[in-house]
Amino acid sequence: MRFDILTIFPGMFDSYCNESMVKRAKAKGIIEIAIHDIRKFSAERHGKVDAIPYGGGPGMVMTPQPLYDAIMHAKTLNKGPVIYMSPRGKLLTHKKAQKLAKGGVSRKGKNKQAPGLILVCGRYEGIDQRVIDLCIDEELSIGKYVLTGGELAALVVLDAVSRFVPEFIGKHESTVEESYSEALGGKKEYPHYTRPPVFMDLEVPEVLQSGHHAKIKEWRKKKLT
Ligand code: ADE
């Protein structure tokens, strides 16, 4: 699955995209990530990408030209939907992440359907509405709070969606039985314990140490919330 991310702070993605699971998935070709610097598309001097809002008010708004051109460029590389990260968007859920991972958008030169996503990160007060009207397929929020920009939100989408890309998760893990999954009826998962059996006077529940699979299953079911 291919992710094209548009931002004026490309450096913000360096560490996250080069560590742990994402690093491994990139190396194996399971996911592909391209970060595009919106400033590089600006036709103005010094790569200017913002201006004061029409109608007045505080802050700056991202101008349409650099964003429009950056999105058009990304669309030549990625056939997936263009998603604008915004607190005004629809809330991201487990189900939505799963759906985005399926994508169903085929890419040339590959047999299997490899979906993609273009994630647009805004800064300042937001982006010019005309870019949304012209190019954005969907606005997505990661929660009912306002971040200083869409970059962290895009990383959240990248992470949550990648987990559902086949082979992203290792052999010993699974997205089948986890919080919010269908298998757990959309509920939150049971608690986990590991060694040692006693820590700070707190014991691992006896049933989990019993090896009695049916009883463990029942205990875990009861612990779903
Ligand atoms: N940009 C700023 N706040 C955001 C949020 N809550 N979700 C997605 N993008 C954002």
Side-chain angles (χ1 to χ4, degrees):
M1 175 160 186
R2 182 181 169 105
F3 295 86
D4 284 87
I5 302 176
L6 280 48
T7 173
I8 58 168
F9 294 117
M12 284 189 176
F13 294 85
D14 289 347
S15 62
Y16 196 82
C17 296
N18 291 302
E19 298 280 355
S20 184
M21 305 276 284
V22 173
K23 179 183 178 181
R24 172 185 163 272
K26 271 187 359 183
K28 289 193 159 191
I30 295 163
I31 62 170
E32 236 177 294
I33 304 171
I35 310 293
H36 307 277
D37 185 352
I38 296 165
R39 268 184 212 290
K40 292 201 174 143
F41 293 87
S42 174
E44 288 191 59
R45 272 196 307 156
H46 311 303
K48 193 168 165 59
V49 291
D50 63 338
I52 54 170
Y54 272 110
M60 303 290 269
V61 175
M62 287 180 77
T63 52
Q65 178 272 317
L67 261 174
Y68 182 86
D69 288 355
I71 293 169
M72 287 306 124
H73 171 67
K75 279 169 83 86
T76 65
L77 306 167
N78 191 324
K79 302 296 168 225
V82 183
I83 296 180
Y84 172 44
M85 302 315 307
S86 160
R88 293 175 64 200
K90 256 173 88 174
L91 271 185
L92 177 68
T93 61
H94 188 84
K95 240 188 203 157
K96 179 69 185 176
Q98 212 165 5
K99 229 184 221 173
L100 289 173
K102 287 201 182 108
V105 180
S106 63
R107 278 169 59 218
K108 283 179 192 148
K110 296 214 169 175
N111 292 332
K112 61 181 176 188
Q113 293 233 304
L117 285 183
I118 299 173
L119 303 176
V120 178
C121 307
R123 279 269 149 180
Y124 316 116
E125 289 304 305
I127 69 176
D128 191 289
Q129 181 62 34
R130 290 165 292 182
V131 172
I132 298 175
D133 297 343
L134 287 167
C135 335
I136 300 297
D137 295 308
E138 210 171 325
E139 290 185 65
L140 209 52
S141 166
I142 62 156
K144 293 188 178 180
Y145 42 81
V146 178
L147 302 165
T148 51
E151 285 76 10
L152 281 175
L155 280 172
V156 168
V157 171
L158 167 72
D159 189 288
V161 172
S162 295
R163 296 182 67 256
F164 291 115
V165 174
E167 296 169 56
F168 180 90
I169 296 260
K171 266 202 298 275
H172 303 292
E173 294 143 294
S174 160
T175 57
V176 175
E177 241 189 54
E178 62 182 4
S179 295
Y180 308 112
S181 65
E182 234 167 86
L184 299 188
K187 291 186 171 179
K188 283 178 264 184
E189 213 180 19
Y190 44 80
H192 300 279
Y193 293 89
T194 183
R195 292 184 298 117
V198 182
F199 180 72
M200 298 278 190
D201 286 340
L202 294 177
E203 269 181 61
V204 173
E206 219 176 286
V207 60
L208 296 182
Q209 302 184 63
S210 69
H212 195 300
H213 294 298
K215 279 191 180 157
I216 292 171
K217 205 172 163 187
E218 196 184 303
W219 181 89
R220 286 180 167 166
K221 200 172 164 192
K222 266 200 284 189
K223 292 287 181 185
L224 299 177
T225 55

